[in-house]
Structures are given as C-alpha cells and as structure tokens.
Amino acid sequence: MDHARFGDRCARVVIDVRRGDDALDAISRDGFWAVVATFEGEVTAIRFAEVDAGEPAPRVVDWSPLDRHWASSLSSAAYVKAVEEVRRRIADGTVYQVNVCRVLSHPLDDDADLDGLDVLLRRGNPAPHGSRIRCAAAGVDVVSASPELFLARRDGRLVTRPIKGTAATRDQMLPKDHAENVMIVDLMRNDLSGVCDAGTVRVDALCAFEDHPGLVHLVSTVSGRVRDGVTWRDVFAATFPPGSVSGAPKSSALTAITDLEASPRGPYCGAIGWVDADTDSAELAVGIRTFWAERDVAGRRWLRFGTGAGITWHSDPAAEWTETELKAARLIGLAAGTVTP
C-alpha cells in the first residue's frame, strides 16, 4: 500500500504525482506532499489525500536479513585516491572542501518489503528526521534514518541544521571537524540569504554536539525570514543540493564530485520529507542514513545505501574511508541482522 510516514504524521491515499519543475510549482500551491529530490536534482512530489497526526503504529512485516555482501561504488583504494585528488585541488585553490561519497548496493528479492526495514531502523536507529515513503506510481521506495535537517519552513522562517564533523565519541572530534562545520555554516548563510529578507539570516547555534546511535556529530543551526513571494522553486534554486553534502564553494565542489564519484547518488544526499502548502510549512531532511530500492536496466532489484565524508586540506585519506565505514556500520548491520535493534 502506498503511504508516507514521518515523525509526527502519516499520509495515505495518493491523488497526484508530479516531477521536476512541475513538482516544485505544485508544492507551492496547495495540498500535503511527500517530496524526494535526488542529489542530481530530480524532484518527485507525491500528494496524499489523508494525513493523520501522531506516530503511526508499525505494520507487522518480516524483513529477511541480508547476507552482508555489499558492493561499493568506490573501493577503499579508489576512495583514498579521490581524497588525495581533492587535497590537490584544495592546494591549487579551486575548492576548500568536498564531500566524497560512495554508494553500497545489495541484491534485493522482488518480494522484500522495506516496511520491515523501516521498523528495524525505528527501533534500532531512531532519528529526528526518519521517514518512510512508498509510492509505486512514482517509483519511490525509500526508508530514511536521517539525523540532519536540510530545510524547515514554519511561521515565515527557513531553518537549516547542517551536520559537519563525525566521530565515535565527543573527545575524538578533531579541529578539522570544527573547521569543516564553520565553512558549511558560511555557505548555508549565503544560500539562505538568496531567499530571505536582508539582515534576518542568523546563526542560532554553532558546532553543537549531538549524540546519535553509535556516533556523535557537530551540528549548527542557521535561519532567516523568508521574503514575500518566495516559492519552492526559488528555495531549491538558492539552496539545493545541500551544502553539507556537496562542499565549498558549492559550484567547484559539484565539479569535483562529478569528476571523482563513480555513480549517481540518487536520493542519498538529496532531500526527503514533506511540504504542506496549505499551512506554508515543511520539513525536508538531507537524505543521509538512507536506504532505497530500485531496479537496474536489466530489471534486477537492488537495495542502495550511501555513505561519505567531508574532505579538507587536513584530511587523512585512510581516516576518511574509516569515517564512511563508521557512518554505515550500524544501519548496514541492522539490514544484515548483525546488529540487534
């Protein structure tokens, strides 16, 4: 059954599906929409007729543990080489920071239901922006345990909470992590200024520690008052893709990502969440800690999961690979049955 589940609401009965600019225009007009935007900028909006408040009771759905054989779009050697290339570009002065990512893939049976995986993630890796969106007509089958807010829109304000800096414990956070976070805060201030009233963009919190299952993050909060007449097409043009998963300057970082990554990111590092045009409110997460199911050109079904790290001049290539493993370990373990919820 098609449905969407977010932290404080559950939606059912699909009545419309829009894509691209048509989707961005539709979510600015009326209705409640689930939104999935790929990192590459393909936006899908799904309108639901019924929206219930409160956390829904989980469906009882079996999930068969995967066999732990995941293919990576970048090997450890290729990832290290990509990090070294980013450091060369930083030395040349073309970029300051680049998020380098890889996508893990596992064969998936046709009858495997990601509702079962959603239950495991909600128990074993609760997240402030967790979600489940399933719509056959839209080709969307996503489960997210995202800890990161891309954009919230409420009471005329836009809020973003970029994550930069990840470690197993607080005392393992490095000066490099703090520097990363400050760079991205500057980028997000600039992005929001394109759609907010002059003088209203502010940093509400800088480099705050935030604990999550198995790791700790540095999180900052940036907000601004939205200018009159600003639409979601305007907001996406100013802010997408999220700065925390691209880099700075964003244009140079995106060039590096295109050059160095072996496959599209898809929903990973895009935006996943909801927009309620009737109340002019929204909550879109950065699509990290996210699984999605899709079929390849031969019709074979796959489960995908992305992981990555922010690269600066001070990055150690081997340590950055280890960070990608840390970010993936718990969620991949839940899907594989090696981590107990």
Side-chain angles (χ1 to χ4, degrees), residues 156-307:
R157 293 190 70 82
L158 276 179
V159 180
T160 183
R161 300 187 71 240
I163 289 176
K164 271 293 151 198
T166 301
T169 62
R170 293 188 180 199
D171 60 3
Q172 292 177 334
M173 203 71 72
L174 302 173
K176 168 252 182 191
D177 296 305
H178 290 264
E180 257 189 280
N181 195 293
V182 171
M183 274 191 258
I184 295 305
V185 165
D186 283 342
L187 188 154
M188 297 309 296
R189 289 174 61 232
N190 182 70
D191 283 359
L192 289 191
S193 69
V195 289
C196 291
D197 288 331
T200 68
V201 176
R202 67 195 188 200
V203 179
D204 302 297
L206 183 65
C207 294
F209 285 108
E210 195 169 276
D211 294 306
H212 293 273
L215 45 75
V216 62
H217 289 306
L218 290 179
V219 185
S220 294
T221 303
V222 184
S223 68
R225 188 173 66 238
V226 185
R227 288 202 306 268
D228 289 343
V230 164
T231 67
W232 278 104
R233 193 192 285 218
D234 300 326
V235 171
F236 267 67
T239 65
F240 197 84
S244 64
V245 288
S246 51
K250 191 183 286 187
S251 59
S252 298
L254 292 174
T255 297
I257 288 167
T258 299
D259 292 343
L260 300 175
E261 293 188 12
S263 65
R265 295 184 185 180
Y268 172 60
C269 291
I272 301 171
W274 58 269
V275 173
D276 189 341
D278 297 332
T279 61
D280 195 26
S281 59
E283 185 175 295
L284 299 172
V286 179
I288 58 174
R289 318 292 147 80
T290 296
F291 292 94
W292 71 101
E294 65 181 7
R295 294 187 185 275
D296 61 20
V297 293
R300 190 177 186 186
R301 194 169 182 230
W302 293 87
L303 186 65
R304 315 281 194 196
F305 182 89
T307 186

